[in-house]
Amino acid sequence: MQIKRENFRMVGKLGVIVLGMFCFGYALVPIYKAICEMTGINVLALGDRQIPGATPKLPANTQVDLTRTITVEFDANSRGPWHFKPAQSSLQVHPGELTTVMYEFQNVQNRTMSAQAIPSYAPAQAGAHFNKLECFCFSQYTLAPGEKKQWPVAFVIDPKLSKDVSTITLSYTFFEVGGKTPAAPQASNGVVLNVATIAPQQAAGI
C-alpha cells in the first residue's frame, strides 16, 4: 500500500510539473514580446506599435540596380495577314527589376491558323542578359478566324549587362507554322534570293 501511495504522489508531482511547463510555454510568447518592447531589441515589435510616421516595410530587393535605367523598346514584325503589336512601344526599367509587357495579336483571316514568334535583340550582346521568365515565344498557338489574343512577356535584365548599353530593342517576328511558303524576295538588282538559304541564316542569328 505504501508503495502505491508513493507512486500516486510521484504521478501527481509529475502532473504538476507538466502543467507548469505547459503554462510557461503558453505565456512565453507574450512575455517575450513585452520584454522586447521594453528593451527595443525586436524590430518587428517596434514596427507593430502605433508610432507616428513608422510604417512596416518589406525588405528591398538588393539585386535591383536603382542607379541605372535602361530603355527597352518593343518591336513587332508580322509575316502574314494578321495584326501583331506591343501594348506599349517602350519602357524604362532598372537592371534586376521584374517587368511585364503585353503583346496583342489578331488573326484577321477567314481561316484557322497556327503561328509562333521568334525573338531577337539589339544590340546582340544584350540577348545573353535579357532573361525572360514568361514569354509567348516558347509555344505555338492556334487561333480561329478573327480571334484576338494578349500575351505577357515577363523579363529581368541582368545587372551584369555592360554599362555601355542604355537601350535594348526586343523584337518579335510572328510567322505562320505550316503555312504557305512566301514568294522568294528579290534584291534591288533583280536577283532572286534563295529562301532556303536565308531561313537557316535568320534562325542562326536569332
Side-chain angles (χ1 to χ4, degrees):
M1 291 292 294
Q2 187 175 358
I3 297 177
K4 192 173 183 179
R5 289 177 183 176
E6 290 179 357
N7 289 339
F8 276 122
R9 289 178 184 175
M10 181 62 67
V11 172
K13 291 179 181 180
L14 293 175
V16 172
I17 293 174
V18 171
L19 181 61
M21 294 177 63
F22 176 78
C23 294
F24 177 75
Y26 186 80
L28 187 60
V29 174
I31 292 174
Y32 174 76
K33 186 175 182 180
I35 294 174
C36 291
E37 288 179 347
M38 289 187 296
T39 59
I41 62 174
N42 188 354
V43 177
L44 295 178
L46 290 175
D48 290 338
R49 297 192 305 182
Q50 298 300 323
I51 302 176
T55 55
K57 293 183 179 180
L58 295 175
N61 185 356
T62 56
Q63 295 181 348
V64 177
D65 186 357
L66 298 177
T67 65
R68 294 179 60 191
T69 300
I70 297 177
T71 301
V72 182
E73 299 175 340
F74 305 102
D75 183 37
N77 302 297
S78 299
R79 291 189 177 179
W82 47 74
H83 296 159
F84 178 50
K85 64 178 182 178
Q88 51 198 118
S89 59
S90 65
L91 279 175
Q92 289 190 333
V93 302
H94 298 294
E97 179 183 13
L98 177 61
T99 307
T100 301
V101 65
M102 301 298 296
Y103 270 77
E104 302 172 354
F105 182 91
Q106 182 180 12
N107 178 16
V108 296
Q109 304 174 92
N110 58 0
R111 63 180 179 86
T112 300
M113 62 165 291
S114 296
Q116 185 174 2
I118 295 180
S120 60
Y121 310 89
Q125 68 186 83
H129 301 278
F130 201 100
N131 303 317
K132 295 190 293 296
L133 306 181
E134 182 178 1
C135 181
F136 55 88
C137 60
F138 297 148
S139 305
Q140 296 181 5
Y141 296 90
T142 300
L143 295 95
E147 184 177 2
K148 295 181 180 179
K149 287 286 187 180
Q150 279 193 333
W151 293 301
V153 178
F155 63 91
V156 175
I157 298 176
D158 193 331
K160 295 180 181 179
L161 176 68
S162 173
K163 293 185 178 180
D164 296 334
V165 179
S166 59
T167 301
I168 298 176
T169 300
L170 172 62
S171 180
Y172 284 99
T173 299
F174 214 97
F175 64 96
E176 185 171 4
V177 178
K180 296 180 180 179
T181 303
Q186 291 187 347
S188 57
N189 57 6
V191 178
V192 177
L193 301 178
N194 190 340
V195 177
T197 303
I198 295 175
Q201 293 177 349
Q202 291 176 338
I206 293 174

